[in-house]
Amino acid sequence: MAAANAHYYATRDPLGPAGDFVTAPEVSQMFGEIVGAALADVWARAGRPADAIYAELGPGRGTLAADALSVMRRAGFAGAVHFVETSDALRAVQAKRVPGAIFHGSLASLPQAPVLLAANEFFDALPVRQWIAGEARCVTHDGTRFRFTRDGAIREDSPAREAAAIALAHQLAAYGGAALIIDYGFAGGEQGDTLQAVRGHAFADPLDQPGEQDLTAHVDFHALAAAARSEGVKVSRAVTQGSWLEALGIGARAATLAALNPDQTEAIAIARRRLGDEDEMGRLFKVVGLTAVNWPRIAGLE
Ligand code: SAH
C-alpha cells in the first residue's frame, strides 16, 4: 500500500473532477476558510505567538492552505508556511498555489516552533496492515493477478499512522501549537476490512493495477488518539465534520458568500450540503483536535 501510493501520488495530480476523487477543500472555499478561522482563533487565544508557523500534511493542490491562510492573514497571523509532502508532482502544484511554502519530506524536519497544523485526508493514504485470527493477511501474485492469501474476519492497524501521530504530538508537546486532523473513519475503535481503491470517482478492486488508483483505509481515530496522548498532548473527542462545520458557522459563511455572488446561491447551498449532510461527507468524516497542554483547545472540539 505504501509503495503503490508513493507511485500513485508521484505520477499525477489525482484531485478534482478530471482525476480520481474530490476532497472537501476542492468542494468549496468554505471548508478551508473554517479551518483557517479555527486555527487563527486558537492562535489568538494562545496569545498570538509571533514565531508560530502554519503547517499542513499532504496539502494536495494547496487549496486548503490558500483558503485557510486567507483568513489567518486577515486575523494578523504572519508566520511561515511549511508543507509535509512527498510527491514532487503535487509539490509543484502547491508551490504555485502558495508561493513561499517550505517543503519537508516528513514531520521530523519541521522547525522548532509552535505550529498551527491541518491534515485533511492525509492519514487515510498512509498504509494499513490487515490481520486474520492474529496472522498477517498477505498478498501474492498468481501469475495473472494479485490475490489475498486468505479471507476471514479482519482487524486493521497502522504503524505508519501511529508514527505520524506520535511525531505530530511530539512537535506540539515540545514547541506548542494546535492541530486539526480531518479524515474519514471510525471514532470508537470499530474494526473490519476498510481497504478501498478509487479510480475515476468509482470504487475499484484494491489489488488491481497497484500505483494507478487511490488506495485508502478508514482512519482508526481511537488508535491515533492513544498514540498522540502517549506524547502528552490534549486530544479532543472525534466530532463529525458536518456538526463541526455547522458549529463553526458554515451557515453564516454560506449566506455571506451567496449575498456576494447571487448567481452562485444554489452552488453554495449544494457545496454546504455535500460537506455537511449525514449521507454525504458530514457523518463519515471526523474532526479531531490535538493541542499542547499549555494551549487552549480548538473551537468546537473542547
Ligand atoms: N489534503 C489534500 C490532499 C489529500 S490527498 C486535500 O484535502 O485535498 C493525500 C495527500 O497526501 C497528497 O498530497 C499526497 O501526495 C500526500 N501524501 C501521501 N502519502 C504521503 C506521505 N507518506 N508523506 C507525505 N505526504 C503524503
Side-chain angles (χ1 to χ4, degrees):
M1 186 175 175
N5 272 350
H7 176 83
Y8 175 76
Y9 284 109
T11 50
R12 75 208 71 206
D13 171 0
L15 291 149
D20 289 328
F21 58 96
V22 173
T23 55
E26 302 297 331
V27 169
S28 166
Q29 70 188 77
M30 295 186 285
F31 182 81
E33 289 171 345
I34 287 173
V35 166
L39 293 177
D41 168 64
V42 75
W43 171 73
R45 285 186 287 120
R48 306 169 71 87
D51 57 343
I53 59 165
Y54 175 85
E56 195 174 323
L57 310 182
R61 288 183 167 173
T63 307
L64 168 56
D67 292 336
L69 284 162
S70 78
V71 172
M72 295 169 75
R73 297 301 189 213
R74 269 180 276 154
F77 172 76
V81 177
H82 291 260
F83 287 163
V84 176
E85 174 61 67
T86 41
S87 160
D88 285 335
L90 287 170
R91 281 186 181 197
V93 178
Q94 292 156 18
K96 264 201 192 127
R97 193 71 200 271
V98 185
I102 298 151
F103 289 98
H104 301 263
S106 82
L107 275 155
S109 59
L110 286 179
Q112 301 182 355
V115 66
L116 302 163
L117 184 140
N120 186 63
E121 291 211 45
F122 170 76
F123 283 91
D124 68 44
L126 300 183
V128 293
R129 303 185 299 192
Q130 293 191 331
W131 303 92
I132 298 174
E135 293 199 26
R137 191 188 199 203
C138 298
V139 174
T140 62
H141 197 273
D142 64 10
T144 311
R145 49 181 296 229
F146 289 101
R147 292 180 188 282
F148 286 112
T149 50
R150 56 198 303 213
D151 288 311
I154 289 168
R155 291 190 65 80
E156 293 178 345
D157 69 2
S158 177
R161 293 173 180 176
E162 284 173 28
I166 285 171
L168 170 54
H170 179 76
Q171 169 84 23
L172 296 172
Y175 311 112
L180 276 169
I181 298 175
I182 306 167
D183 224 311
Y184 71 100
F186 295 133
E190 300 93 320
Q191 278 291 337
D193 176 10
T194 73
L195 181 66
Q196 70 178 37
V198 166
R199 186 173 197 170
H201 305 274
F203 290 113
D205 173 358
L207 298 189
D208 191 30
Q209 296 187 272
E212 302 302 328
Q213 45 191 21
D214 181 49
L215 283 182
T216 62
H218 277 36
V219 172
D220 178 351
F221 283 103
H222 190 74
L224 275 201
R229 275 198 195 98
S230 73
E231 290 295 309
V233 298
K234 295 184 285 195
V235 181
S236 80
R237 68 202 160 90
V239 173
T240 62
Q241 174 171 301
S243 60
W244 188 71
L245 292 175
E246 289 297 326
L248 268 79
I250 194 172
R253 186 62 183 143
T256 303
L257 284 176
L260 292 168
N261 313 280
D263 57 319
Q264 292 292 307
T265 301
E266 183 57 18
I268 293 163
I270 289 169
R272 178 182 171 191
R273 288 200 295 273
R274 186 143 177 224
L275 293 173
D277 274 10
E278 297 226 322
D279 54 355
E280 302 235 17
M281 300 175 85
R283 181 170 46 197
L284 181 57
F285 280 75
K286 314 287 190 302
V287 185
V288 170
L290 269 51
T291 40
V293 285
N294 55 346
W295 270 58
R297 289 188 183 259
I298 296 171
L301 303 171
E302 287 88 0

